[in-house]
Amino acid sequence: MLNVSDSGVYQCAAENKYQIIYANAELRVLASAPDFSKNPIKKNSVVQVGGNIVIECKPHAFPRAAVSWKRGVESLRQSKRVFLLEDGSLKICNVTRSDAGSYTCIATNQFGIAKNTGSLIVKERTVITVPPSKMDVTVGESIVLPCQVSHDPTIEVVFVWSFNGDVIDLKKGVAHFERIGGESVGDLMIRNIQLNHSGKYLCTVQTTLESLSAVADIIVRGPPGPPEDVKVEHISSTTSQLRWRPGPDNNSPIQIFTIQTRTPFSVGWQAVATVPEILNGKTYNATVVGLSPWVEYEFRVVAGNSIGIGEPSKPSELLRTKASVPVVAPVNINGGGGSRSELVITWESIPEELQNGEGFGYIIMFRPVGSTTWTKERVASVESSRFVYRNESIIPLSPFEVKVGVYNNEGEGSLSTVSIVYSGEDEPQLAPRGISVQSFSASEMEVSWNAIAWNRNTGRVLGYEVLYWTDDSKESMIGKIRVSGNVTTKNITGLKANTIYFASVRAYNTAGTGPSSPPVNVTTKKSPPSQPPANIAWKLTNSKLCLNWEHVKTMENESEVLGYKILYRQNRHSKTHILETNNTSAELLVPFEEDYLIEIRTVSDGGDGSSSEEIRIPKMSSLSSRGIQVLEPTTYFLSIVVMIFYCFAIQPLIR
């Protein structure tokens, strides 16, 4: 049996007749009491409820120490859940909350004994209480994928979302995705969901103790994608055969197809009739009907499902339908007018998309009412909408039956219904009689005449034309005004004062104007007085306002003053009242509580003269005294009901 004193270096010698060799070896006899200083028990061991935990106990000891365990002050024995392992470690299975506490490992050999204690901390398990579930949504919607957990409040929880195996980095603000909820809620919101968001969504819950996950499939349904390879296989004058391939159905079966067409004459794309009439989701070819001949068309196809109508296909190749005889006849057949011996016919031209081919033109057919023979003419211009037939034998203003048709290189097409059009007429043959003219002021005159009694021989009268001028050759002043119907007077304004004007009248119709009447003349009145009334004074007694002013003297080239107008109103937005007098004074009845605005102007044969500046009569409450006042100009407004009589009592005061 070794003792510590047996420690040392031992040498072995081997010898024969030739040589001797040596080998050395050191013997160490180890002996130490158990020691935990270099390998202590873990201070805190953490485990979840229901989990397994191993607490290691590996002290340094020579010889190897015998190990036992205590929980608190009680010794531990092996059981169905508690195991003492061969290396001295303690294993506890299916841990419960009651297993939490301090655990002590006791190590013993012949040289001593040592103890070391650690704590077992038991945490609640983390559980996904609301996992994400499978969802079926429509493109454009916003949804929330739930991911909610229950966990030990002392454990931090981290939520990580993945889409089709790729982690969604929510910190970078990825479009459409947003994390919502609190600490224990990891819900994922997807805003304005798109078709490419269909797939698997994985919510992973990570703690320091475990990692949990739940997965859900999201199906996003939307309108179909655009059909592909739209081709025109045959085209005639009015039909076209199309074929196409369906595009992606975007998780909702295609239920219907629609064919649309566009021409240089249409406004955008328009749906067209097809055979079969209804194109279900399994129909990939159809015949378009009702097309116009000799028009360039392009086609596209649109698919629809229960979600909606999808994007259209790319347009087909631009192709022109074949030509055919035109079938649309002109409308609005009219005419008339023109000169003698002319028949003028008009119509509404046919648009290019209805001409059906090259060499398009119009066929004009006409005959006098009562005749059995039609005259036929052709107009080759596609843009024509008027035809004039000339023949000396045509009786003025006689009725014709007229119809207009169409033709092109393929043949003659439809004719319009018959319309009645009258031939041209002669100008009026008679001049108006009984012409007179009179001047009403310095700037206006009135011309009057007798109406013409007309018949087919003298020419129809549609109205009259009044001509007027002066003898001033420098100005060459001439005017022309028309009146229609049976009007036999015309007032002409904007003339020069004190000037001789000549006037003449002539009748007119669609063929032109007839002979003019002999001219008559009149001298316009002299200009109205240029000076306004001056030295206006007033006297206010109770509600009576007396006005007085100086008589206006006129110049030689001005009309004599015949009287005066008093214009009064309450404000500029109210009605203006007018009083006329032949004198230079007037009396008004006015209320006490209002200010009034007044102006005075002269009256003459030449018209109204210049007005005085606008003056204000203050309300009674604002007057500090009564008496005669000289009126000042103002910008206030005035309106009042008045009486006029002469203010002889205050005339001596006005000087």
Side-chain angles (χ1 to χ4, degrees), residues 428-436 447-455 458-466 483-490 505-508 515 517:
Q429 303 298 307
L430 301 177
R433 296 181 178 182
I435 311 300
S436 65
V447 181
S448 59
W449 60 92
N450 296 331
I452 297 176
W454 59 273
N455 53 47
T458 61
R460 184 175 58 152
V461 174
L462 294 181
Y464 299 91
E465 194 170 75
V466 180
V483 295
S484 60
N486 293 323
V487 177
T488 57
T489 61
K490 181 60 181 176
V505 182
R506 60 190 181 188
Y508 73 86
S517 67

Side-chain angles (χ1 to χ4, degrees), residues 8 15 26 66 115 126 175 180 259 282 296 305 347 350 388 411 469 475 495-496 591 600:
E15 180 180 3
E26 181 181 9
K115 300 179 181 180
T126 301
I180 61 175
I259 298 177
K282 299 298 183 181
E296 288 185 324
N305 58 17
W347 61 90
I350 300 298
V388 179
W469 65 94
E475 294 187 7
L495 306 178
K496 294 175 63 176
I600 303 173

Side-chain angles (χ1 to χ4, degrees), residues 486-551:
N486 293 323
V487 177
T488 57
T489 61
K490 181 60 181 176
N491 190 270
I492 301 173
T493 60
L495 306 178
K496 294 175 63 176
N498 197 26
T499 302
I500 299 175
Y501 278 89
F502 296 86
S504 179
V505 182
R506 60 190 181 188
Y508 73 86
N509 60 21
T510 59
T513 56
S516 298
S517 67
V520 294
N521 67 78
V522 70
T523 302
T524 53
K525 306 291 185 182
K526 292 182 180 181
S527 299
S530 59
Q531 295 298 318
N535 293 329
I536 302 172
W538 59 272
K539 181 178 180 181
L540 186 60
T541 305
N542 294 329
S543 62
K544 292 183 179 181
L545 173 66
C546 287
L547 294 169
N548 195 284
W549 58 92
E550 285 187 355
H551 179 69

Side-chain angles (χ1 to χ4, degrees), residues 326-514:
V327 295
V328 177
V331 295
N332 293 332
I333 311 302
N334 288 300
S339 302
R340 179 185 176 90
S341 304
E342 288 185 347
L343 176 64
V344 178
I345 301 170
T346 63
W347 61 90
E348 191 173 306
S349 59
I350 300 298
E352 183 180 348
E353 63 268 27
L354 299 178
Q355 294 174 5
N356 290 9
E358 294 182 307
F360 181 83
Y362 297 94
I363 298 172
I364 316 299
M365 299 184 68
F366 55 92
R367 66 184 178 185
V369 171
S371 173
T372 59
T373 303
W374 291 92
T375 299
K376 184 176 181 180
E377 300 283 347
R378 286 197 172 206
V379 179
S381 174
V382 296
E383 297 179 355
S384 293
S385 59
R386 186 174 186 269
F387 172 75
V388 179
Y389 176 73
R390 296 178 178 87
N391 193 307
E392 294 296 330
S393 65
I394 295 179
I395 301 173
L397 210 60
S398 59
F400 280 77
E401 290 182 308
V402 175
K403 52 186 177 181
V404 181
V406 289
Y407 71 92
N408 62 17
N409 291 345
E410 305 298 316
E412 294 185 0
S414 304
L415 288 167
S416 69
T417 57
V418 173
S419 298
I420 302 299
V421 177
Y422 285 83
S423 60
E425 58 186 340
D426 278 337
E427 299 91 346
Q429 303 298 307
L430 301 177
R433 296 181 178 182
I435 311 300
S436 65
V437 61
Q438 57 180 325
S439 174
F440 288 154
S441 70
S443 62
E444 61 181 329
M445 66 181 183
E446 183 183 79
V447 181
S448 59
W449 60 92
N450 296 331
I452 297 176
W454 59 273
N455 53 47
R456 186 180 296 274
N457 295 324
T458 61
R460 184 175 58 152
V461 174
L462 294 181
Y464 299 91
E465 194 170 75
V466 180
L467 305 176
Y468 59 96
W469 65 94
T470 68
D471 271 345
D472 191 342
S473 59
K474 293 182 179 179
E475 294 187 7
S476 300
M477 186 174 181
I478 187 168
K480 181 168 62 177
I481 301 176
R482 278 192 172 188
V483 295
S484 60
N486 293 323
V487 177
T488 57
T489 61
K490 181 60 181 176
N491 190 270
I492 301 173
T493 60
L495 306 178
K496 294 175 63 176
N498 197 26
T499 302
I500 299 175
Y501 278 89
F502 296 86
S504 179
V505 182
R506 60 190 181 188
Y508 73 86
N509 60 21
T510 59
T513 56

Side-chain angles (χ1 to χ4, degrees), residues 25 173 216 269 277 509 549 588 603 605 636:
W269 291 90
E277 183 178 356
N509 60 21
W549 58 92
L588 313 179
V603 177
D605 283 341
Y636 293 154

